[in-house]
Every structure is written in C-alpha cells, then in structure tokens.
Amino acid sequence: TGIGTKHCLTDPPHALRHDAQFRCPPPIDESIGSQPVDWSPWTHQPDCVNAEKDPSLKYCVYSNSRHGDQGISIITKPKTAADSATMLDEEFPGGHGINNTTPSYAVVDMPPKGKGVVATRKIARAEAFMSDWATVVLDLSFPKAMQQQVGHQYLHLAAEQLSDPDKVLGLGRSSAKAVDIVEDILGTNSFSYTLGGDSHMALYPEVARINHACKPNAFVRFSATSFDVKVVAFRDIEVGEEITISYIPMNHPRERRQRDLRRWGFECKCSLCTASKTDVAASDYRREKIAALQEDVLKAIGELDGTTAVRAAYEILELVKLEDIPTMVASQYEVLARLFWKAGDTDTATKYAQQSLDTLMDMGYIDYRADDLPLLLKDFNSKNMSCNWRKLDIFLLFASLAFMITPSRGCSTDEDCSLNGICSQTKQACICDAGWRAEDCSELDLYPATRWSGYNHTNATGPDFYKEGAGNSSWGGHIIQDPSDKKLFHLITSQMAHGCGLAGWRPFSTIIRAESRTGPAGPYTFAQTLFSTFHHNPTTIYSPADGKYLLYCIGRDIVTPDTCQSQKFNNTISVSSSADLRSWEPLEAQLENVTNPAPWPLWSTQNQTRAMLLAVEKNNIYTAEDPFLWRDKRGHWHFLVHYLVDIDLGLKGPRVGAHAYARHWRGPWTFNNRTLAYNTTVEFTDGTSTVYYRRERPKLYFSDDGSMTPVYLVNGVQEFNRSGSYTLIQPIGTSAGEYERKLGFV
Ligand SMILES: C[S@@+](CC[C@H](N)C(=O)[O-])C[C@H]1O[C@@H](n2cnc3c(N)ncnc32)[C@H](O)[C@@H]1O
C-alpha cells in the first residue's frame, strides 16, 4: 500500500497510470441518499452549507466515527472530500512500527506550559514512539467564507460527530479573547496540512499535548496517503525528559520564531531562545546567513550560474550541520544532487541523492525502500517537483533549463588554503580550520560583535581632560586570561591621556590594563596604568621559557604636555616582564627606530628555547603595518596585518585586514592580497552594523586546547567623523560561544 498504489489527490504519476482498477470515489453532499451506505465511507450524512460570499462554493462536514481512536470529521469542499476518502482505508506507509509493550510516554502537568509529554522509558534516536490520527480537519478558506456564527455551528457539529468528542474538547486553549471554544482549540493545537492541493488545518489530539522547543528532540512524520502520523525521536530521549517538537520552521532566527510562536499565546523559553547572548547571536547569524544563501542559490539558478549555486549550496550544508538542523541537512543534500544533475554530473548527483536518502532514513523520516533512489533521480528530470517521491519540503523549485558548472579554482597544496586548512585531494577543495573561511581559508569567520563590549570608553569625560569629545580613546590590545582566576580577563591596551583622542596618540598614549569579569569579549573597565606617557603599541605574550608575561611596546618617558597636540620623535621598542600582569619590571630598550613589535616565542616542547621571534614594521614590505604574528598548531607561521592598500588608494578602508603565511619563519612568505581577512564593516548582535573609518591593529585571541583556533579578533577602531577611538572585540566562529560556555559565562 502507499503512494505507489493509490493516489487521488493529484494526477497519478505517469509510472502508476497502469493501475486501472483503482478509481477515486465521486463527490457526495447533503443531497445524496438517506442511508449510511449512500454516504460511504462516511458514517454520517454530510451537512453542507454554501459560502456566504460565493454561493457556488460549498463546504460540508464529513465524519467517519470509526476512523482511528476517536473518529474523524473533515470540513471541506465535496471534491476534496472525495479525493481524500481513500485515505481513510490506508495505514501509515510501512506501518507504525511502534513498540507498545512498554509505554514510552505519559501526559503530565507541566506548569507554566499546561500539560506536556514526558518519556517514561528511554526512546532511541529515529524510533517512532507515538502514533495518532487526524481527528478534525478544516479547510482554511472555510472560516473566511462563512459568517462567524454559522462557521462555529459547523465546527461544533464536526466535534459532536466524533466517537469521543471530549478527547478534543478537553484539549488546551491559548486565546483569552476566543469567542468559540472549538475554534480556540483548533487554533491552539492544529498543524497546517495540505489536502487535495488546498491548505487545511489538522488536529491530532495525542500529538497536541506535545509542547514546543526550537531545538526539539522529536518530530511528527506525516503520511501523504493516510490520516495517520507518527512521532519520531530526533535523538535519544532519556526517561523523564520532556518530549518536544517544533511548531514552526526550524531555520528561523530567534525574533522571527518568537513572533511566530505568539500565535500560540506564549513566549518561548526553550534552551535555544534563552541561550547566552553570544550563542543566540551566533545561531541567528547562521540562520540569517542560510536564508541569504538560499536566495543566492535561487538567483544563481535564475542566472544559470551553476558554480555560484553549488558554492552557496555547499556553504548552506556546512551551516545547517553546524546549526544542527537535521531535516535541512537531508534537504540540502538533495539540493546539491539536483544542482549536479542539472549540470549533467550524474555521478555526483547520485552520490548526494543517496546521502539525502541515508540522512532521512537515519533520522527515521522515511523507511527503507529499494526504489527510492531511482524514483528520486527520476523526479530530478521532471519539470515540477512531482509527488511520486516521499520528500521533505524542499525550498527550491528548480529551473528546467540545464546549466553549466565551471570547475572551481580548487587547490593543489595546503598553501592554496593559506596554511589555514588542508587541501583535500579527493574534493580538490580546501577544508578550512575552525575560525577561517573562504575558498582559500584566508578570511576570518567573524560573528556579530556586541555593542559596547571590548573597551569603549569614548563616552567618558574626566576633570583632567584637556579636550572634550574623544573620551578615553584606546587603540587595540591584547586579551589575556588571568593565570590564577580563569574567569578574569585582562586587556592590555594603549589609552590616550587627558581626553586627547587618537590624533594625539604621540605623546599622549599610555599603556593600561583593563579587566573583564564578563568574559573575554568584555566589556572591560579600566584597572591600572602600567606605563604612562608616552608608551604605545603594547603586545603582551606569555613566554613559557621565562614563565612570565613579556610586554613589548614603543615609547619613552616624557613630561606630559598641558594641551592636546601631536609630537614626532623616533620610536624605540622596549620590553618588560611580569608574573602576574599587575606589577611590571622597568622597560628595557631592544631596538631603535622601528615600531609595531610583534613577538612570538620560538619555544616548543621539543625545543625549549628562550628565543623570541620579534617582527617589526620597518619597510612596509607588504604595503602593510601593525603585524600580529603567530605560529599555528602545525608549526606554520602567520601574520595578520593592517593592509595599507586603503591609504595607498587615498582612502580609509574598506580593505583593511590581510593575512600572510609561511611554513618557516624565515620564509618564503606569501602575502594574500586576494582574499581579505576582514574589512571595515562590523555586524552587531542587535542587528545593526557599522562601517568604520579606521579598523587597524589586529590581534587574535586563541583557544587554549592546542588547536590554535582564533576565538576573538581585537582591533582599534574609529567611526567616521569622530575624534574618539576604541577597542573592538569580535567573536570568531562558533568557538567563541563554546569557549564562553565552558567558562560558565552564559
Ligand atoms: C499544542 S499545545 C501543547 C500542549 C499544552 N501544553 C496542553 O496543556 O495541552 C500548545 C500550547 O502549549 C503551551 N506551550 C507549548 N510549548 C510551550 C513552550 N515552549 N513554552 C510555553 N508554553 C508552551 C502554550 O500554551 C501553547 O498554546
């Protein structure tokens, strides 16, 4: 049984037209017969009413009180009822396969959500543990077509004709303003449902007790050929755990989800909606990105640009995996399969089609059927998505024209992946390390920053200020975790004294220490001046050989002028050390007439040397300044720099962040001027973004798990038409949220 043998809802697929014995029943209405045999398969005479505004439109109540556990009543048009009549004799394709020997769940009180469902035994991933039947089905055009009172009368008749009306009438309600109880119950508990091609709503009384979560542990598996559903576990569910499903599409950002859920009269407090600000922002960012990329795929298909479509589709696949939306993983494999099919690469298409099926089977979304793969591939050739394959809602309607996929630039060595990833020989594409993205892994995977995090004291005014308007300007800095208090973070940064702003950096810059107890991204507050005017450009690094922190900077002690002004003198790089970040040894001069020190220890477990590698800015070899140097987990070397192409072009920004890399610090170095590491646009978690006038002094904060994953990017930034500047900290990838969660900053 199943879709392969009977199908009245739409035209039968070509392959099935030989099924000549099968006929759909003719429409029946209130004018036909007076005995149950005349109304078969319905047990009650249809009660019909013409639509208020369009007398040619007729709706009837169709009931079969023997269907399922409590009967079914459908309010719909006679043609739709005729089409769906065969669904009454059908069972869930493949059967329910529900293990009823030990009950798997119970309905319990669950304040403040009303009732809810909990697991009473362990439920395995992909297990179907509940089955239910549609009990009231309502054509969505009915309420609009009817006078309210008449509409309510038919809703009550539908409920009364069930074998157990109380099972429906006792369900939860959510609207304080509801005029009618049945209408409120349907509004609170129904799923949207397509019957005969028209939008309906369907009520499943048992499933209706399951509450919502945005990252649910179960889903409802519908059948296209019967009124049954089953509820299947997305993952293992433990005894006592609440069983949840999602009432809304699972790929929307939080605000949209909250808005959609208000229809059910509650504010969602599930774990995804109440996660830390950074996690919510990261999740929203991925979801918005998925939506934007879906648009890109559609646009690229419209423009017959297969390369862009495939690239965007791959990116979506990575994002839905990261965001853990299993249904979308399956549909994304199918999207890729369809794209490759259109491009004539049937081998790759078949591989992805199989992966899509495997993912669906793995989740319990479909049962195994040997003819699935050929049916799905056949569906790829059809102009419209046909109904002969058991699919999810795929968001794409594919253009029927063939289009070409041009080979991507690909990679042949890890250098092609900027040494920030590896070149996969099978895929001939880069697999980027966490924190990096783009075809050549040279772009930081930046996530939205939080406004007023980092160190932003540009709104400060002090009695000692010579000038108002620039606040306590600062200019980039280093994040350091306190050695004895893991939840305390220090930022060692340059701060301009007396409110003199960035323009007065020389001679007003001081080196200060600020503290954050709210995580590495801050916000930081001033704690201590480490070196007074004039000291600038601190880079602070832990030296394992010394067992101390080393602070490299430029500057000299001067008498602070008493008006804001700019002064010029040669720079000297000096170094100081500290065990606790609070008390520092006097600075010792290292190098004359150079600036921007970038140290990194050459120490490793095999070679426990005290030697430091010190990069400086001297000749602008790469049209760049502000180097930040590091060695990665593979022992390769990298720089992040302020790319001066903007200044060369007589502009500030937007192309400000560049990356250079080498296998050995002696070189040869490759300066990547193709893909930017970052630019001057910063997205914020409040949904706004800022295009900065200047964004310089890059520094990275890395994970402490040995993987050298970049977790935060620190920059000195200045907005357009402002004399103040501040230190911006932007999270990178999912690692920032994970790092904060591990430390208990939720
Ligand atoms: C389909 S019913 C779920 C079962 C319902 N709790 C009951 O008592 O019958 C939907 C209603 O449950 C409540 N609900 C479901 N999920 C919830 C959640 N995540 N947070 C708060 N209330 C929720 C809301 O009142 C919503 O209108």
Side-chain angles (χ1 to χ4, degrees):
T1 62
I3 202 155
T5 51
K6 289 183 186 176
H7 207 267
C8 285
L9 301 182
T10 52
D11 288 341
H14 269 291
L16 309 173
R17 291 221 171 120
H18 63 268
D19 192 0
Q21 295 128 344
F22 172 61
R23 290 259 216 79
C24 293
I28 57 166
D29 60 19
E30 80 285 18
S31 64
I32 294 169
S34 57
Q35 298 300 315
V37 65
D38 303 322
W39 317 312
S40 173
W42 313 110
T43 53
H44 295 66
Q45 182 169 30
D47 194 334
C48 304
V49 57
N50 288 335
E52 187 83 1
K53 292 182 191 113
D54 179 359
S56 67
L57 255 187
K58 185 194 273 188
Y59 296 88
C60 312
V61 180
Y62 295 93
S63 299
N64 181 319
S65 56
R66 289 190 291 269
H67 184 260
D69 276 348
Q70 47 271 317
I72 184 169
S73 285
I74 306 174
I75 304 179
T76 195
K77 300 174 196 103
K79 166 89 173 65
T80 312
D83 274 359
S84 38
T86 55
M87 290 172 64
L88 292 178
D89 338 317
E90 294 285 341
E91 276 216 2
F92 204 97
H96 285 286
I98 290 178
N99 163 8
N100 279 329
T101 43
T102 330
S104 53
Y105 65 89
V107 177
V108 297
D109 285 330
M110 200 163 277
K113 304 183 205 172
K115 291 195 184 301
V117 181
V118 290
T120 49
R121 63 160 170 82
K122 185 169 175 159
I123 300 171
R125 169 189 153 84
E127 182 184 335
F129 59 90
M130 180 193 279
S131 64
D132 202 2
W133 289 265
T135 298
V136 179
V137 178
L138 172 70
D139 187 323
L140 274 182
S141 63
F142 175 77
K144 283 186 221 120
M146 288 299 138
Q147 210 195 15
Q148 193 187 49
Q149 215 183 348
V150 180
H152 290 161
Q153 197 185 316
Y154 279 83
L155 290 184
H156 281 256
L157 179 65
E160 278 161 25
Q161 291 185 171
L162 299 170
S163 65
D164 183 5
D166 288 344
K167 183 91 198 220
V168 167
L169 297 174
L171 286 173
R173 297 160 55 183
S174 61
S175 170
K177 288 182 271 169
V179 181
D180 182 79
I181 144 168
V182 181
E183 188 182 359
D184 191 12
I185 288 170
L186 283 178
T188 307
N189 297 284
S190 300
F191 286 88
S192 63
Y193 191 70
T194 307
L195 196 59
D198 289 340
S199 298
H200 286 67
M201 57 206 276
L203 177 76
Y204 303 85
E206 192 81 358
V207 177
R209 292 299 186 188
I210 305 180
N211 288 316
H212 164 90
C214 295
K215 234 176 203 169
N217 51 20
F219 64 92
V220 182
R221 195 178 145 184
F222 293 88
S223 154
T225 51
S226 72
F227 286 111
D228 326 12
V229 290
K230 45 190 187 182
V231 184
V232 183
F234 261 134
R235 56 167 173 80
D236 287 353
I237 303 175
E238 301 301 326
V239 181
E241 212 184 315
E242 181 177 12
I243 293 164
T244 51
I245 54 174
S246 179
Y247 294 177
I248 51 172
M250 284 205 275
N251 57 332
H252 290 155
R254 186 173 76 160
E255 213 173 287
R256 169 80 193 272
R257 299 197 303 268
Q258 293 281 5
R259 198 176 65 218
D260 291 350
L261 287 168
R262 270 180 222 129
R263 180 168 111 59
W264 282 272
F266 68 93
E267 192 189 337
C268 186
K269 296 249 164 48
C270 76
S271 57
L272 186 62
C273 291
T274 53
S276 75
K277 260 182 159 177
T278 326
D279 282 354
V280 169
S283 161
D284 282 358
Y285 179 73
R286 284 190 290 268
R287 286 157 186 251
E288 278 154 16
K289 189 127 197 223
I290 290 168
L293 285 164
Q294 287 175 334
E295 294 286 319
D296 290 352
V297 174
L298 282 175
K299 187 163 165 268
I301 290 173
E303 291 167 358
L304 304 183
D305 176 1
T307 311
T308 305
V310 166
R311 196 170 295 154
Y314 274 129
E315 230 182 298
I316 297 172
L317 180 65
E318 289 310 312
L319 285 165
V320 293
K321 281 183 182 167
L322 265 177
E323 196 51 16
D324 193 17
I325 314 178
T327 47
M328 281 192 81
V329 172
S331 58
Q332 204 51 35
Y333 278 126
E334 191 188 329
V335 167
L336 277 164
R338 286 177 183 270
L339 288 171
F340 280 101
W341 190 265
K342 293 283 174 213
D345 181 351
T346 49
D347 283 354
T348 310
T350 308
K351 185 186 87 185
Y352 282 126
Q354 187 61 56
Q355 245 170 313
S356 170
L357 290 172
D358 291 346
T359 312
L360 290 175
M361 267 182 296
D362 210 36
M363 289 195 277
Y365 219 102
I366 56 171
D367 301 314
Y368 173 76
R369 247 177 33 185
D371 60 350
D372 260 334
L373 185 63
L375 271 177
L376 178 57
L377 295 179
K378 198 166 150 204
D379 198 53
F380 290 178
N381 281 330
S382 66
K383 194 165 171 189
N384 299 312
M385 302 279 237
S386 75
C387 54
N388 61 354
W389 192 72
R390 317 168 294 151
K391 63 179 34 279
L392 295 169
D393 277 338
I394 307 286
F395 64 90
L396 288 173
L397 263 184
F398 279 80
S400 55
L401 288 161
F403 58 94
M404 290 303 297
I405 295 181
T406 51
S408 86
R409 227 172 33 83
C411 60
S412 49
T413 66
D414 294 348
E415 268 78 0
D416 295 336
C417 309
S418 311
L419 299 179
N420 274 336
I422 51 162
C423 176
S424 154
Q425 295 306 321
T426 44
K427 285 191 186 173
Q428 300 215 323
C430 292
I431 301 172
C432 302
D433 296 337
W436 297 95
R437 64 185 176 206
E439 200 174 23
D440 58 5
C441 305
S442 217
E443 183 186 341
L444 282 166
D445 187 16
L446 291 169
Y447 274 39
T450 305
R451 288 240 178 240
W452 297 95
S453 62
Y455 184 69
N456 183 349
H457 287 213
T458 47
N459 59 351
T461 48
D464 62 335
F465 279 18
Y466 298 162
K467 196 173 132 190
E468 296 299 330
N472 268 327
S473 283
S474 64
W475 196 235
H478 237 123
I479 303 172
I480 307 153
Q481 187 177 38
D482 191 90
S484 51
D485 180 351
K486 296 290 173 214
K487 292 183 89 160
L488 173 63
F489 287 83
H490 305 265
L491 186 79
I492 296 187
T493 180
S494 309
Q495 176 167 289
M496 286 15 108
H498 300 300
C500 285
L502 186 59
W505 70 273
R506 190 168 45 193
F508 285 95
S509 178
T510 63
I511 295 177
I512 65 127
R513 184 176 64 79
E515 290 183 354
S516 160
R517 286 208 166 269
T518 47
Y524 285 84
T525 47
F526 175 84
Q528 182 190 8
T529 300
L530 303 182
F531 298 100
S532 63
T533 54
F534 158 72
H535 289 95
H536 194 61
N537 253 349
T539 304
T540 315
I541 201 113
Y542 184 72
S543 165
D546 296 295
K548 281 185 176 174
Y549 296 90
L550 302 183
L551 185 157
Y552 288 79
C553 64
I554 57 166
R556 58 177 68 177
D557 290 326
I558 56 151
V559 178
T560 319
D562 52 13
T563 55
C564 285
Q565 55 182 266
S566 171
Q567 286 182 359
K568 272 206 162 168
F569 33 76
N570 287 345
N571 293 314
T572 299
I573 292 176
S574 307
V575 67
S576 169
S577 63
S578 168
D580 64 358
L581 299 162
R582 292 158 178 88
S583 59
W584 291 86
E585 296 296 322
L587 285 163
E588 277 178 36
Q590 302 280 298
L591 283 170
E592 299 272 324
N593 295 333
V594 281
T595 185
N596 278 334
W600 196 265
L602 282 165
W603 186 96
S604 69
T605 37
Q606 296 84 22
N607 175 18
Q608 306 207 346
T609 172
R610 287 191 62 198
M612 300 286 287
L613 186 63
L614 183 66
V616 296
E617 178 192 323
K618 183 120 176 78
N619 294 324
N620 283 352
I621 308 167
Y622 299 120
T623 335
E625 64 170 5
D626 300 349
F628 170 74
L629 174 75
W630 78 96
R631 181 160 53 177
D632 69 21
K633 62 180 175 190
R634 303 183 184 95
H636 299 150
W637 293 86
H638 302 259
F639 274 120
L640 214 52
V641 290
H642 171 211
Y643 190 19
L644 290 167
V645 69
D646 53 342
I647 293 177
D648 273 5
L649 297 173
L651 314 158
K652 291 274 182 195
R655 307 180 61 205
V656 287
H659 171 234
Y661 52 90
R663 283 193 186 260
H664 194 278
W665 60 265
R666 287 195 180 86
W669 284 85
T670 306
F671 183 77
N672 186 340
N673 56 7
R674 215 177 36 234
T675 305
L676 285 180
Y678 61 91
N679 60 26
T680 43
T681 302
V682 176
E683 309 284 344
F684 287 91
T685 51
D686 59 8
T688 61
S689 66
T690 297
V691 178
Y692 284 96
Y693 173 58
R694 297 175 72 170
R695 186 181 194 189
E696 305 177 13
R697 287 288 139 90
K699 285 189 173 45
L700 293 172
Y701 181 79
F702 296 99
S703 65
D704 52 8
D705 58 1
S707 69
M708 291 297 290
T709 300
V711 189
Y712 299 94
L713 170 67
V714 188
N715 285 107
V717 290
Q718 188 178 30
E719 294 178 14
F720 278 89
N721 306 317
R722 296 279 168 90
S723 51
S725 63
Y726 54 94
T727 300
L728 178 86
I729 300 181
Q730 189 165 7
I732 303 171
T734 45
S735 314
E738 279 156 25
Y739 187 81
E740 287 172 30
R741 204 172 25 253
K742 256 197 335 217
L743 284 168
F745 297 112
V746 189

